[in-house]
Amino acid sequence: MKIGVFDSGVGGLSVLKKIKEKIDFADVIYYGDSMNSPYGSKSIKEIQELCLNIGEFLIDNQVDIIVIACNTATAAALDTLRERFTSIPIIGVVQPGAAMAIKQSKNKKIGVLSTPLTAKSGIYEKVIKTLNPKYEVFQKGCDLLCPMIERGWEDNDRNTKLLKSYVDQLPKDIDTLILGCTHYPLIRGEIEKLIDKKIVDPAEETAMHVLFELNKLALKNGFKKSRKEKINIDYFVTGDIDRFKKVGERFLGEELSNIYQPLIG
Ligand code: DGL
């Protein structure tokens, strides 16, 4: 079996990391669209077009499931992708993240840090309120974080100040904070130093959803789920491969090989 995972760059590696921890019987194709990053300041239409191209690329490469490892792409294009590619399951990160935050929050006040597009779409509030209307959701769009993480975030005073300026705009009485951009788990340590709340990384629950869907598929199609010594991961990166490799290796703590430039992008 093969899982297709995509993001606007290195952020989806936070989802890949959790998938690798939970699933040892499926290979992965990871697509990082860093040439078109950040998605968070593009229009919905532009993101939908980019995502449709990536979806086609992944389907051409015979994936059995697509994971949109990007909140912004989930907000802008989950429905579009599901309408176009009806033959395989497509999973986004928002629903799992929202469900997890509801389980964590005691005072029913949840903060979300995300890209401007995700914040403006109000998707976390919509999903959380659909699950339970009693919860309050406060969203803050952070325009500069994703590009800075993509370039390899540096731990210095200027960056900490910027991060603090975003965190400080959240109400003080939230008890749970969703990392509503898959890039943010790459600087989770820095965020935790600035805010003492329960942190929700949607990647954790997303990986559980992927496992659930793969188990269903295996049952339905009679696939054998044989455990592999090492799953194969091919990375397709539209932008700077060296930078992706450097930032990705620092986050995952292992060497990344099999990195290619896709023909589209
Ligand atoms: N990792 C993407 C997300 O979760 C970042 C989007 C962007 O490129 O702005 O939203």
Side-chain angles (χ1 to χ4, degrees):
M1 283 195 193
K2 213 188 271 179
I3 308 169
V5 178
F6 81 86
D7 176 51
S8 64
V10 288
L13 295 177
S14 63
V15 180
L16 176 67
K17 188 175 185 180
K18 299 294 172 190
I19 288 176
K20 277 173 55 189
E21 282 170 16
K22 296 186 197 322
I23 300 170
D24 59 6
F25 57 87
D27 291 329
V28 179
I29 294 191
Y30 184 94
Y31 193 107
D33 193 11
S34 42
M35 192 175 76
N36 294 303
S37 171
Y39 279 8
S41 42
K42 291 196 155 39
S43 72
I44 291 186
K45 185 111 196 47
E46 279 173 297
I47 298 171
Q48 287 173 343
E49 269 161 28
L50 292 167
C51 292
L52 284 171
N53 285 338
I54 296 170
E56 247 151 51
F57 176 89
L58 293 172
I59 300 246
D60 285 349
N61 281 278
Q62 270 104 37
V63 300
D64 300 289
I65 185 168
I66 291 178
V67 184
I68 309 177
C70 172
N71 292 265
T72 311
T74 302
L78 176 65
D79 294 341
T80 311
L81 288 178
R82 283 185 174 157
E83 273 160 32
R84 173 72 66 86
F85 307 113
T86 50
S87 59
I88 60 169
I90 299 179
I91 292 183
V93 281
V94 173
Q95 183 82 27
M100 211 170 153
I102 285 184
K103 269 192 240 152
Q104 293 281 328
S105 173
K106 295 269 175 291
N107 74 356
K108 301 190 170 49
K109 291 181 199 289
I110 297 170
V112 186
L113 290 180
S114 71
T115 66
L117 189 144
T118 304
K120 213 166 124 218
S121 75
I123 188 165
Y124 270 102
E125 183 168 20
K126 278 181 216 150
V127 174
I128 288 172
K129 285 206 177 281
T130 308
L131 292 169
N132 188 331
K134 289 193 185 125
Y135 283 73
E136 280 181 88
V137 181
F138 307 91
Q139 300 165 102
K140 175 69 201 145
C142 315
D143 45 354
L144 297 173
L145 287 189
C146 171
M148 288 168 77
I149 295 167
E150 196 59 35
R151 283 198 296 272
W153 176 273
E154 277 171 54
D155 185 5
N156 58 34
D157 282 356
R158 239 183 55 213
N159 288 6
T160 306
K161 255 197 203 132
L162 175 78
L163 186 56
K164 188 167 171 349
S165 73
Y166 291 129
V167 169
D168 284 351
Q169 290 177 60
L170 290 165
K172 298 281 165 284
D173 60 346
I174 56 164
D175 71 350
T176 302
L177 173 67
I178 300 177
L179 303 182
C181 168
T182 53
H183 280 70
Y184 301 169
L186 276 73
I187 54 161
R188 182 178 175 142
E190 318 300 316
I191 297 172
E192 275 171 342
K193 277 186 221 156
L194 296 172
I195 188 165
D196 184 22
K197 310 284 177 192
K198 280 174 254 176
I199 305 271
V200 168
D201 174 1
E204 185 81 39
E205 191 70 15
T206 303
M208 292 306 293
H209 279 225
V210 179
L211 178 61
F212 177 75
E213 287 296 334
L214 285 181
N215 282 334
K216 257 190 0 199
L217 276 179
L219 267 177
K220 188 171 141 215
N221 301 329
F223 292 149
K224 263 234 169 71
K225 285 187 348 195
S226 28
R227 194 187 164 278
K228 297 182 171 210
E229 256 333 293
K230 197 172 182 320
I231 58 168
N232 186 68
I233 307 176
D234 286 331
Y235 298 89
F236 290 90
V237 177
T238 56
D240 185 335
I241 287 188
D242 291 338
R243 199 178 66 184
F244 178 89
K245 185 170 157 67
K246 201 166 133 219
V247 179
E249 286 181 346
R250 201 193 315 148
F251 173 63
L252 292 174
E254 62 184 41
E255 202 191 319
L256 299 189
S257 44
N258 306 353
I259 311 182
Y260 313 98
Q261 200 96 47
L263 290 176
I264 64 157

